[in-house]
Amino acid sequence: MRSYGQYCAISRSLDLIGDRWNLLIVRELLVRGPSRYTDLQYGLPGIATNLLADRLRQLEAGGLVEREDAPAPIATTLFRLTARGEALRGMLSELVRWGADLMVEEPGDDAFRGHWLAMPAEVYLAGSADRDPPVTLELRAGDEPWTVEVGGGSVTTRPGAGEEPDLVLEAEPRLILGVLAGKLSLAEAAALGLAYEGDPEAVLPAAAPSSAS
Amino acid sequence: MRSYGQYCAISRSLDLIGDRWNLLIVRELLVRGPSRYTDLQYGLPGIATNLLADRLRQLEAGGLVEREDAPAPIATTLFRLTARGEALRGMLSELVRWGADLMVEEPGDDAFRGHWLAMPAEVYLAGSADRDPPVTLELRAGDEPWTVEVGGGSVTTRPGAGEEPDLVLEAEPRLILGVLAGKLSLAEAAALGLAYEGDPEAVLPAAAPSSAS
DNA sequence: CAGCATCCGCTTTGATACTG
DNA sequence: CAGTATCAAAGCGGATGCTG
């Protein structure tokens, strides 16, 4: 990318991450962790392969991404975020918050991947991070189920189905987002087509038994 | 811009603000408030005029910017952020925080404008927002002095020299940023060429006389 | 002068095909 | 699996011209 040539934190940041696709690559690496080239391609529907290669080099040169040749038996290249790249999480969380309204509009022809729910889940459930006991949610939308654990002061997500989730939600992504954001009650979402199984209170905001402060 | 076509808050946000120059236009409107076309051009060195016109229309269509034909005597068009555009402040603050490290490198040939210090000042001094009594800083770097008021729970900035600032800082922008960020003491910055006049404690973090909770 | 629109050369992007 | 290579189309930057 051509530099803006401005001595300003925003423009210098954009010199590194402002190019098309760059922040989405960071999104993928943030939610999926270290990934192979083809995993990135799958999580970035629409990207041209030459651009992915290009952007990975660019992010590497900028110190946001590093590549690691996985050990003997696997023999593949993994791309992972450096600490500097990880540090973009806060900014991307703010962007998810800002963009929440845009998700009300139907997906239409837009592509969707189940793991794209991970960042919104982290953002929306952050307020319930100190739940005690912790709860495990399983989100089923799109291609792949995703598990979210809320408690102990943080929200963590991981791929796949939970072992014994407190609550399983299965629906179009829009309804799941509505429930996570607290804009839709489970009952309302259920009326619109969401199926759930388990403890409905698991998605209620901060329903901790002992109220502190 | 071409849409990413992904049902994801980040990519849908980037469909609106991901184009080149867009976030910098928002920066200008955030720190300068409602601005004329030519003011925007001045604050965005390097932008081509057709692109500025283009992006303003795009941001208007996206509901982030609105244009207002100023009342009778002025007879000019003002561009201002809508509430939706203003709501990007949090995300841009995070970007300023992330990009702080990038400002350590010398400006070199990069352009600079005095009002670009406003957002970093807000971000770095946010921790001292509850100072009592409030303090007024005047920052002199680049083309235009800028005034920062810290106290009463917020940090506000405005163009021009302060009326009776508690502290005036005059230096290359890099040194002023270092001091505001708390990475450089006033004495250290002074040794590197910063000139100041007034109460040095005005930039010390949270030196409130009565310490609460 | 403020606020654009037009034109033109260059760079970036996107789609597809191909390779170690 | 992890990319190159190629090429058309779109976007960008710079200069200039137009209009109230």
Side-chain angles (χ1 to χ4, degrees), chain B residues 19-21 46 48-51 55:
Chain B
D19 255 345
R20 198 163 160 75
W21 294 107
T49 174
N50 57 339
L51 287 188
R55 293 299 125 86

Side-chain angles (χ1 to χ4, degrees), chain A residues 7 9 12-14 16 84, chain B residues 98-106:
Chain A
Y7 187 67
R12 284 201 165 177
S13 297
L14 292 175
L16 290 176
R84 187 91 184 107
Chain B
W98 186 82
D101 292 358
L102 305 172
M103 303 301 279
V104 174
E105 192 177 334
E106 296 280 350

Side-chain angles (χ1 to χ4, degrees), chain A residues 19-33:
Chain A
D19 255 346
R20 198 163 159 76
W21 293 109
N22 271 350
L23 278 178
L24 299 185
I25 294 174
V26 173
R27 171 197 73 191
E28 286 302 303
L29 293 172
L30 271 178
V31 316
R32 311 222 44 149

